């Protein structure tokens, strides 16, 4: 119960997290997020058109695409264009990222505009989907701030957003699993929360034995604390001025 | 807080559930499951080969495919073969069904055999993924019982499996949402549990406002009760003899 | 020459035929047709747009899609979306169904509207394409009757339409082949006729030895008689009122 | 009833037919067939492998592919590779050609070998599928003769094979329709027969009004006569020696 | 150094070249080009629409498609529609043809019109891409001349265009390689030039050893001479009147 | 003639070039190459299998894949998996990279092994294909050095390899074009050379006016000098020990 994790972290300890903004010179909303060795390049693009199901509603839309570079993983990942199919895992992750971002975006204030966030994994050491959400949020804020529409004023972003993984590994409940832990976890949970503590998405899967409600409660508490820390890092990365333009009216 | 639901059900009340076994004469594991007007045809096929990642391990595999017939929905659904893509939602659901079934299958006792379960939605009135899991479990048991390998003895099925949706609709926490409720829910949760009460999968999404841990706990309790009722129906449908062959050794 | 068929039928005897209308509650033109154990779900959808080649002509269009559910056949059928191709057989059948329906539809009276008929095979025991046509016709009539455009008046349907298979099996000319007969037939013919006795489509294939004009004539006569019986069943299923609204002006 | 056709032909008169053998220097079974202005390049390739469903049976297989060059038609035809789909019409035609060729091939004598016949339309002036069959037969014979396996002896070809179209155009029953006739025909029939008069394939479609059994009989008689003439041309093209090696043992 | 080539040609000698214009009766810009046994059917189609990136500029566009018929090669070539992919080599060649033709087309004088040139290889004996360019140019001129827009006057074609291959084979620098030479060449170069001697495209690849600048210069000189001869043949094929309508204003 | 370029460079001056080796911790052959603002991540993977056409020859193979991240360009680039096609430009570039690398690899010494080099463009400011080749060469060397097969000894790399672009921009012949120059160039040439001065690939395209042999010679000389400088940078990046293991025996 008191042992350290394989990399010396405590059970509730996150890996080092870093946001490098303006990573690509021609893309204002481009962020390289790092959580330990997991690195994801997140870029947000504002486009002046919306998908058909939104057209005419006066509202906007936020969507995401996710991909792994071929050598982001120790085993080379075959490009999806070669298989002529987007895999199920890819679909699941990009739908999760998109839904999560929409939950904190004020789609009405956004207007008939869409934001597409691309999350491309440079190196994958566990937690790529949660790292993607963390970086995507920062990229989204940067892209909206750079757009002429909301200059200086409140951005169409209602709340902060961060995500973290939890799991039970060798009987120990831990947060922010690295790949070495992820691959031997009995339970794998991903939690997406807002800065004010609301739950946006919550997905738990028993990889081996089914888990109990108690185990589940413990994970939620741990995730809640971790999300708070990540939001703090995002706030530091974005700086005071930009941070002040986030939040419901 | 005390009002009835749009169709007269109480908040914790399931729709009528029915399992029609041997629905297709040439397929021993074929079940039409009905939950209210939602109808899904579930068929299980045992095949003598396994996917590459299992080959040589002595273990088996269970996988699922999910599709909606074009007029299962009020709005005609375009066939996925026409779009040359399997959509993200389809992928998500069939991966969920597959993972859930594997959680209660004794893959070692199954041996190097794979079972593919097809869930084809005849009519969709909400809850097609949970209905699919409920029917798929019965079809899986029937297909394994019909196969020569385990005749008379214990089946390679460790526990019962059932799923139900929960949600918060107009401020009311309810179970087994019909389409009319689903489309206006603030929170949508799907829970897959074993007969002995373990949680296998748990997916909650805030459609509008983020939800709280308390709201979440209430849904879990409600789902737990509902799953118990569904397992009882599965047991009745399968009959005493077959039911007796289910469960860990 | 006088022997009964493998299932006790006489040479010119059809299998039991049944039309279950309104099979899906949210789809007015939905019919489950059964010919013996062959079961096909036929649904007709009226849409307010027409394909490019009809646009601006004032006329409408009728088209069909055909698919087999994975376990409709004893051997599991791989879904076509998985292969990224619609097979040749599928194409052939859905083109046949579409052409046949158009032959009895008054496309001018239909107006710039298109009807898409989906034929999904639940169980395949021979004759799925002819059963599809028989059920599709009933679904088409139901869908048109439910549409506001022709309420009460004559429907844009010029004549009745039915189809049947014929074949030479072990030297015996028979009608409405079941799978057991189909798989050993020397000649396989499909005939689509109108209620007033006109030939709409006629396709004969020698599976083994080429056949003679005489053998061919015998099959045509037998098919003609059978089609008459099927039209009678369609008329009974649709009822007197609806039946009275069919036929050229 | 006595009028000539738009191009001066009598009702039962074929267009000029020509077979240019050895059309491609590196392909022994390559024939350019011309029926009037319709020109199809037919090439037959013998390969030392068979499709899975034939493997191990000791028998061979014959299959066909059909395509139109982009400007074979007055209106440029989009290449099927661009659409990522093989169209329904293409499928129908290549299945017809394949089935027809198999009907006169002695698959047992062929042995575990497959022949693939490619029919590429250079110019399309009606009747491309029947011209393809006529040319494909000659190419098949040439390819088999060039192969070492049957040198000098009887070829694994049981009978001659030819095809022709018939139709009712402006009330007149005619044979071998040119495009100008085809596009205004009320009935369109394609008939494939053997040299000894057996019917191999027969497909009739009412484009406008359904047709009667009498009209149908007239077309069959006309087609029979025409096929006889085409076989005579094939015999002349192949020459005495090769012709003598065709026919059942 | 003084030896003849495998087919008796001198090092700087082209194979016989022939242009058969009006090869397809319904397509005015249809040319069969032959360079030795290499035969390519080139057809040009003028269409009244332009791709999006040109729309509204007042300019036109020229594009090309290239394909090999299955038996153009000694080894049967699988159709690209079967693989659901257009191969890299195909892409490379059709982009080369398109760019080359655009280099001599006066896109402004063309107006908002596009020309699509299809190059389909009937028989491939080396140099199909250069033969395609040579034939495509003639087809382009014919198609533009047949179009009403420029009747009698100067065509929107600024200069003549021809292409040829060079290479170093067994130490000998040669022009217009046949397949037997191409397959053993150390260096393979393709050069596209205008009638007035400008270089439009130049692509050299070392198949084995890298080559030197000197070797390269020799090839360029040889190609230049050969292109001059080909342009002369094109001029003869097009005749005096049409030739006089080519060239910058 | 004497003016500086838009970014202050001289006509024959390269942009700053930088190689960051071991860019991904789990991939030994991973290099981020930067030429000015153009950044490409190159990773090389050694695999124990070879493509069919090499199998059994005792030789190895080197191949490449190229892709642009969506926001590598100022205008978001749609992912190729979304279009279900690999574009022509992508094909052309990855074929060029593969051929170039093979030209300096000793495929015999490599043995029946294949190396796949992935070039993923992070930011594109002109010259991504030449930067890819420069980085790919370093990644290839690193991957081979990390592989157990050649430890300590001579690597199966016969010569150094580098590439650079040249062009004529506003009448000025320049080297290593940035995007701003590339987009207005009259001529665009890419040259791939070995360390010992041999030409491996050479591709020149006239974007506007055709170019002359003289202009062409000038570009070649300039490219030659530039390639020399790049090889020097590669040598510095790889260090003395590794550099000493490169070169023909």
């Amino acid at each position: 119960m008191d042992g350290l994790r394989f990399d010396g972290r405590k059970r509730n300890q996150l890996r080092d997290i870093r946001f490098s903004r303006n990573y690509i010179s021609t893309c204002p909303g481009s962020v390289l997020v790092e959580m330990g060795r997991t690195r994801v390049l997140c870029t947000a693009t504002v486009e002046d058109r919306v998908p058909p199901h939104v057209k005419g509603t006066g509202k906007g839309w936020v969507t995401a695409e996710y991909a792994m570079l071929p050598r982001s993983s120790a085993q080379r990942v075959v490009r999806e264009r070669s298989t002529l199919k987007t895999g199920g895992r890819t679909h699941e992750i990009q739908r999760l990222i998109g839904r999560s971002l929409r939950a904190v975006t004020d789609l009405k204030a956004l207007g008939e505009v869409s934001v597409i966030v691309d999350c491309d994994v440079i190196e994958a050491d566990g937690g790529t989907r949660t790292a993607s959400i963390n970086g995507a949020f920062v990229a989204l804020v940067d892209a909206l701030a750079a757009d002429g529409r909301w200059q200086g004023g409140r951005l169409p972003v209602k709340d902060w957003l961060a995500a973290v993984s939890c799991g039970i590994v060798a009987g120990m409940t831990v947060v922010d699993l690295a790949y070495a832990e992820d691959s031997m976890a009995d339970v794998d949970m991903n939690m997406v929360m807002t800065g004010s503590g609301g739950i946006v998405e919550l997905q738990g899967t028993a990889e081996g034995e089914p888990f109990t409600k108690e185990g589940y409660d413990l994970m939620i508490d741990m995730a809640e604390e971790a999300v708070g820390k990540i939001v703090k890092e995002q706030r530091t990365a974005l700086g005071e001025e930009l941070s002040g333009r986030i939040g419901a009216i």
Side-chain angles (χ1 to χ4, degrees), chain A residues 98-142:
Chain A
R99 274 200 315 270
S100 299
L101 292 172
R102 287 194 296 275
V104 294
T105 305
D106 185 336
L107 297 174
K108 213 166 178 173
L110 186 60
E112 286 212 13
V113 149
S114 60
V115 186
I116 174 155
V117 181
D118 288 286
C119 299
D120 287 90
V121 180
I122 305 278
E123 184 162 355
D125 186 30
T128 61
R129 79 186 70 190
T130 48
S132 292
I133 290 171
N134 297 332
F137 179 76
V138 176
L140 173 70
V141 170
D142 264 338

Side-chain angles (χ1 to χ4, degrees), chain A residues 13-26:
Chain A
Q13 191 180 342
L14 289 165
R15 292 176 288 182
D16 286 344
I17 186 163
R18 194 151 58 130
F19 299 94
S20 306
R21 292 164 63 205
N22 303 313
Y23 191 72
I24 291 175
S25 58
T26 54

Side-chain angles (χ1 to χ4, degrees), chain A residues 14-19 21 31-35 38 40 42 97 100-101 117 119 127-141 160-165 176 191-193 226-231 233-235 237-238:
Chain A
L14 289 165
R15 292 176 288 182
D16 286 344
I17 186 163
R18 194 151 58 130
F19 299 94
R21 292 164 63 205
V31 174
L32 181 79
V33 60
E34 297 172 77
M35 294 185 76
T38 290
V40 185
C42 304
I97 301 171
S100 299
L101 292 172
V117 181
C119 299
T128 61
R129 79 186 70 190
T130 48
S132 292
I133 290 171
N134 297 332
F137 179 76
V138 176
L140 173 70
V141 170
W160 294 79
L161 181 84
V164 79
S165 69
D176 189 21
M191 187 156 170
V192 188
M193 292 184 74
V227 160
K229 293 178 193 166
I230 297 168
V231 168
E233 296 290 339
Q234 290 174 323
R235 196 182 285 269
L238 283 169

Side-chain angles (χ1 to χ4, degrees), chain A residues 30-201:
Chain A
S30 59
V31 174
L32 181 79
V33 60
E34 297 172 77
M35 294 185 76
R37 287 199 332 215
T38 290
R39 277 180 291 167
V40 185
L41 175 51
C42 304
T43 57
T45 307
V46 181
E47 294 187 343
D48 260 325
R49 52 177 179 184
V50 287
H53 69 94
V54 181
K55 211 164 242 172
T57 62
K59 291 189 186 173
W61 196 245
V62 182
T63 189
E65 293 195 7
Y66 168 96
M68 295 180 78
L69 288 189
R71 280 309 300 263
S72 57
S73 189
Q75 201 70 16
R76 182 174 180 271
V77 178
V78 174
R79 289 171 197 274
E80 295 198 325
R81 75 176 183 213
S82 311
T83 60
L84 288 180
K85 307 196 199 189
T86 302
R89 180 183 169 273
T90 297
H91 267 308
E92 227 172 88
I93 295 178
Q94 58 195 20
R95 281 160 58 90
L96 171 66
I97 301 171
R99 274 200 315 270
S100 299
L101 292 172
R102 287 194 296 275
V104 294
T105 305
D106 185 336
L107 297 174
K108 213 166 178 173
L110 186 60
E112 286 212 13
V113 149
S114 60
V115 186
I116 174 155
V117 181
D118 288 286
C119 299
D120 287 90
V121 180
I122 305 278
E123 184 162 355
D125 186 30
T128 61
R129 79 186 70 190
T130 48
S132 292
I133 290 171
N134 297 332
F137 179 76
V138 176
L140 173 70
V141 170
D142 264 338
L144 294 172
D147 194 279
R149 270 167 271 237
W150 304 278
Q151 52 188 59
R154 191 155 287 275
L155 296 171
V157 177
K158 296 185 290 184
D159 205 341
W160 294 79
L161 181 84
V164 79
S165 69
C166 286
I168 303 181
V169 182
M172 196 159 55
T173 303
V174 296
V175 83
D176 189 21
L177 285 68
Y179 176 73
E181 295 169 319
D182 197 29
S183 56
M184 54 175 290
D186 288 316
V187 179
D188 183 17
M189 204 188 81
N190 289 289
M191 187 156 170
V192 188
M193 292 184 74
T194 62
S196 50
I199 303 173
V200 163
E201 285 279 342

